[in-house]
Amino acid sequence: MTGGPAGDTVDLRLDPEGRPLARYVWRPELAATLAPRPYLHPVWTLGGTEVTELMPDDHLHHLGVSVAVPDVGGRNFWGGRTFVRDQGPTWLGDHGVQRHLGWSALAPDSFGQSLVWTGPDGGEVLREERTVSLRPVGDHWALDFAFALTNATGEPLAIGSPATNGRPGAGYGGFFWRAPGSSTGILVFTPDAVGETAVHGTRADWLAMSGTAPGSRGWTLVFVPGDERTRADLWFVRADEYPGVGSSLAWERSRDVAPGDSVRRRVITIVADGLLPSDRIAALRRDACAAGEGRDGP
């Protein structure tokens, strides 16, 4: 573990003696308006290309790879302004914080973490169990990210999004990956469709985003639902305004969570060098899912 201006960190490696492939900032030092939370950044391909972005000028609250939800019972765990029906994006001072409680496991290539999500008043809203692991997939590697969010309020709790509050198509919230805006030629595609308009708000067994980093280094990210619950969610996709992909917890309707009940999700992301074609992606997806069989999330 290391400490620094960004907070306390853990570096993750496939090989205990190899170079890091992802840095996890588990206790960040962030402004309240960013909805402080643990995040992965940087994340690198095996060839050393960086495929995440932290606090870009267009959305300062985008923090690499994280779990972020804009509306949890009226509390903002996404960061930035809150979308208010018939009013639009508004600063409300409603930002929550995800706080580290402890490690259930900690190894060079994986960890298990307990977190508490607290509202602006300091009250507990959610308890989270999170597991993250790395593994090789063909000539590339995969990040297996699973989480369970448990209602800790003692009352019914609604998980929402700007879409559920009146902004069509803005159903973001849940697992979210901000890719680097410095890359060019951003392309998003699934087995059946190509382009942001065609894939945004759809379900697919995999969704890929590719681009070219400075120095003509191509990269591809392949997002794969890790279980049936996640496979039922819709993909939130941005490619034109900025490059980002998320798995949505509340697309058009709020998700109600009873006291003590949990919402569980798992996303496996293949991190690859090069601009991969669909047939190669399909094979890697099969390998990633086969390698992950029997590995239960939290």
PDB file of all heavy atoms in Angstrom, residues 129-142:
ATOM      1  N   GLU A 129     -20.243  -4.740  -0.152  1.00  0.00           N
ATOM      2  CA  GLU A 129     -19.147  -5.698  -0.241  1.00  0.00           C
ATOM      3  C   GLU A 129     -18.695  -5.719  -1.703  1.00  0.00           C
ATOM      4  O   GLU A 129     -19.510  -5.883  -2.610  1.00  0.00           O
ATOM      5  CB  GLU A 129     -19.590  -7.091   0.204  1.00  0.00           C
ATOM      6  CG  GLU A 129     -19.974  -7.172   1.676  1.00  0.00           C
ATOM      7  CD  GLU A 129     -18.810  -6.843   2.593  1.00  0.00           C
ATOM      8  OE1 GLU A 129     -17.657  -7.228   2.274  1.00  0.00           O
ATOM      9  OE2 GLU A 129     -19.046  -6.189   3.638  1.00  0.00           O
ATOM     10  N   ARG A 130     -17.404  -5.538  -1.929  1.00  0.00           N
ATOM     11  CA  ARG A 130     -16.844  -5.397  -3.277  1.00  0.00           C
ATOM     12  C   ARG A 130     -15.691  -6.377  -3.448  1.00  0.00           C
ATOM     13  O   ARG A 130     -14.865  -6.535  -2.552  1.00  0.00           O
ATOM     14  CB  ARG A 130     -16.351  -3.971  -3.474  1.00  0.00           C
ATOM     15  CG  ARG A 130     -15.716  -3.666  -4.807  1.00  0.00           C
ATOM     16  CD  ARG A 130     -15.279  -2.194  -4.893  1.00  0.00           C
ATOM     17  NE  ARG A 130     -16.428  -1.289  -4.767  1.00  0.00           N
ATOM     18  CZ  ARG A 130     -16.346   0.025  -4.930  1.00  0.00           C
ATOM     19  NH1 ARG A 130     -15.177   0.607  -5.215  1.00  0.00           N
ATOM     20  NH2 ARG A 130     -17.428   0.775  -4.805  1.00  0.00           N
ATOM     21  N   THR A 131     -15.627  -7.051  -4.583  1.00  0.00           N
ATOM     22  CA  THR A 131     -14.477  -7.891  -4.917  1.00  0.00           C
ATOM     23  C   THR A 131     -13.967  -7.503  -6.295  1.00  0.00           C
ATOM     24  O   THR A 131     -14.758  -7.274  -7.219  1.00  0.00           O
ATOM     25  CB  THR A 131     -14.824  -9.389  -4.901  1.00  0.00           C
ATOM     26  OG1 THR A 131     -15.820  -9.672  -5.892  1.00  0.00           O
ATOM     27  CG2 THR A 131     -15.327  -9.822  -3.541  1.00  0.00           C
ATOM     28  N   VAL A 132     -12.668  -7.425  -6.425  1.00  0.00           N
ATOM     29  CA  VAL A 132     -12.019  -7.087  -7.685  1.00  0.00           C
ATOM     30  C   VAL A 132     -10.858  -8.050  -7.880  1.00  0.00           C
ATOM     31  O   VAL A 132     -10.078  -8.287  -6.942  1.00  0.00           O
ATOM     32  CB  VAL A 132     -11.506  -5.627  -7.681  1.00  0.00           C
ATOM     33  CG1 VAL A 132     -10.679  -5.339  -8.933  1.00  0.00           C
ATOM     34  CG2 VAL A 132     -12.676  -4.656  -7.587  1.00  0.00           C
ATOM     35  N   SER A 133     -10.748  -8.614  -9.080  1.00  0.00           N
ATOM     36  CA  SER A 133      -9.641  -9.529  -9.360  1.00  0.00           C
ATOM     37  C   SER A 133      -9.191  -9.383 -10.812  1.00  0.00           C
ATOM     38  O   SER A 133      -9.954  -8.965 -11.682  1.00  0.00           O
ATOM     39  CB  SER A 133     -10.052 -10.981  -9.084  1.00  0.00           C
ATOM     40  OG  SER A 133     -11.119 -11.381  -9.932  1.00  0.00           O
ATOM     41  N   LEU A 134      -7.936  -9.718 -11.042  1.00  0.00           N
ATOM     42  CA  LEU A 134      -7.331  -9.699 -12.366  1.00  0.00           C
ATOM     43  C   LEU A 134      -7.045 -11.136 -12.780  1.00  0.00           C
ATOM     44  O   LEU A 134      -6.704 -11.979 -11.935  1.00  0.00           O
ATOM     45  CB  LEU A 134      -6.010  -8.921 -12.356  1.00  0.00           C
ATOM     46  CG  LEU A 134      -6.026  -7.398 -12.404  1.00  0.00           C
ATOM     47  CD1 LEU A 134      -6.779  -6.806 -11.230  1.00  0.00           C
ATOM     48  CD2 LEU A 134      -4.595  -6.848 -12.455  1.00  0.00           C
ATOM     49  N   ARG A 135      -7.145 -11.411 -14.089  1.00  0.00           N
ATOM     50  CA  ARG A 135      -6.739 -12.711 -14.595  1.00  0.00           C
ATOM     51  C   ARG A 135      -6.395 -12.604 -16.073  1.00  0.00           C
ATOM     52  O   ARG A 135      -6.914 -11.737 -16.782  1.00  0.00           O
ATOM     53  CB  ARG A 135      -7.831 -13.761 -14.383  1.00  0.00           C
ATOM     54  CG  ARG A 135      -9.158 -13.481 -15.043  1.00  0.00           C
ATOM     55  CD  ARG A 135     -10.079 -14.670 -14.842  1.00  0.00           C
ATOM     56  NE  ARG A 135     -11.414 -14.430 -15.353  1.00  0.00           N
ATOM     57  CZ  ARG A 135     -12.411 -13.907 -14.643  1.00  0.00           C
ATOM     58  NH1 ARG A 135     -12.214 -13.557 -13.380  1.00  0.00           N
ATOM     59  NH2 ARG A 135     -13.604 -13.738 -15.168  1.00  0.00           N
ATOM     60  N   PRO A 136      -5.506 -13.470 -16.557  1.00  0.00           N
ATOM     61  CA  PRO A 136      -5.164 -13.446 -17.986  1.00  0.00           C
ATOM     62  C   PRO A 136      -6.306 -13.983 -18.834  1.00  0.00           C
ATOM     63  O   PRO A 136      -7.018 -14.902 -18.436  1.00  0.00           O
ATOM     64  CB  PRO A 136      -3.928 -14.346 -18.064  1.00  0.00           C
ATOM     65  CG  PRO A 136      -4.043 -15.255 -16.879  1.00  0.00           C
ATOM     66  CD  PRO A 136      -4.744 -14.478 -15.813  1.00  0.00           C
ATOM     67  N   VAL A 137      -6.466 -13.375 -20.015  1.00  0.00           N
ATOM     68  CA  VAL A 137      -7.430 -13.855 -21.006  1.00  0.00           C
ATOM     69  C   VAL A 137      -6.738 -13.785 -22.366  1.00  0.00           C
ATOM     70  O   VAL A 137      -6.537 -12.696 -22.913  1.00  0.00           O
ATOM     71  CB  VAL A 137      -8.719 -13.015 -21.023  1.00  0.00           C
ATOM     72  CG1 VAL A 137      -9.660 -13.519 -22.117  1.00  0.00           C
ATOM     73  CG2 VAL A 137      -9.420 -13.064 -19.680  1.00  0.00           C
ATOM     74  N   GLY A 138      -6.341 -14.935 -22.904  1.00  0.00           N
ATOM     75  CA  GLY A 138      -5.590 -14.948 -24.150  1.00  0.00           C
ATOM     76  C   GLY A 138      -4.310 -14.140 -24.009  1.00  0.00           C
ATOM     77  O   GLY A 138      -3.552 -14.304 -23.047  1.00  0.00           O
ATOM     78  N   ASP A 139      -4.087 -13.239 -24.966  1.00  0.00           N
ATOM     79  CA  ASP A 139      -2.909 -12.365 -24.922  1.00  0.00           C
ATOM     80  C   ASP A 139      -3.200 -11.075 -24.173  1.00  0.00           C
ATOM     81  O   ASP A 139      -2.401 -10.126 -24.260  1.00  0.00           O
ATOM     82  CB  ASP A 139      -2.456 -12.028 -26.350  1.00  0.00           C
ATOM     83  CG  ASP A 139      -1.990 -13.261 -27.107  1.00  0.00           C
ATOM     84  OD1 ASP A 139      -1.474 -14.195 -26.454  1.00  0.00           O
ATOM     85  OD2 ASP A 139      -2.151 -13.301 -28.343  1.00  0.00           O
ATOM     86  N   HIS A 140      -4.301 -11.029 -23.438  1.00  0.00           N
ATOM     87  CA  HIS A 140      -4.726  -9.803 -22.761  1.00  0.00           C
ATOM     88  C   HIS A 140      -5.028 -10.139 -21.298  1.00  0.00           C
ATOM     89  O   HIS A 140      -4.603 -11.150 -20.776  1.00  0.00           O
ATOM     90  CB  HIS A 140      -5.931  -9.213 -23.491  1.00  0.00           C
ATOM     91  CG  HIS A 140      -5.726  -9.125 -24.972  1.00  0.00           C
ATOM     92  ND1 HIS A 140      -4.878  -8.219 -25.563  1.00  0.00           N
ATOM     93  CD2 HIS A 140      -6.259  -9.859 -25.999  1.00  0.00           C
ATOM     94  CE1 HIS A 140      -4.880  -8.378 -26.876  1.00  0.00           C
ATOM     95  NE2 HIS A 140      -5.705  -9.362 -27.174  1.00  0.00           N
ATOM     96  N   TRP A 141      -5.782  -9.290 -20.637  1.00  0.00           N
ATOM     97  CA  TRP A 141      -6.163  -9.574 -19.252  1.00  0.00           C
ATOM     98  C   TRP A 141      -7.560  -9.034 -18.999  1.00  0.00           C
ATOM     99  O   TRP A 141      -8.083  -8.237 -19.780  1.00  0.00           O
ATOM    100  CB  TRP A 141      -5.150  -8.987 -18.262  1.00  0.00           C
ATOM    101  CG  TRP A 141      -5.115  -7.492 -18.134  1.00  0.00           C
ATOM    102  CD1 TRP A 141      -4.449  -6.613 -18.940  1.00  0.00           C
ATOM    103  CD2 TRP A 141      -5.762  -6.697 -17.135  1.00  0.00           C
ATOM    104  NE1 TRP A 141      -4.638  -5.319 -18.511  1.00  0.00           N
ATOM    105  CE2 TRP A 141      -5.434  -5.341 -17.399  1.00  0.00           C
ATOM    106  CE3 TRP A 141      -6.568  -6.998 -16.040  1.00  0.00           C
ATOM    107  CZ2 TRP A 141      -5.912  -4.293 -16.606  1.00  0.00           C
ATOM    108  CZ3 TRP A 141      -7.037  -5.955 -15.251  1.00  0.00           C
ATOM    109  CH2 TRP A 141      -6.701  -4.624 -15.541  1.00  0.00           C
ATOM    110  N   ALA A 142      -8.176  -9.485 -17.919  1.00  0.00           N
ATOM    111  CA  ALA A 142      -9.542  -9.080 -17.587  1.00  0.00           C
ATOM    112  C   ALA A 142      -9.623  -8.613 -16.145  1.00  0.00           C
ATOM    113  O   ALA A 142      -8.949  -9.144 -15.258  1.00  0.00           O
ATOM    114  CB  ALA A 142     -10.519 -10.229 -17.814  1.00  0.00           C
TER     115      ALA A 142
END
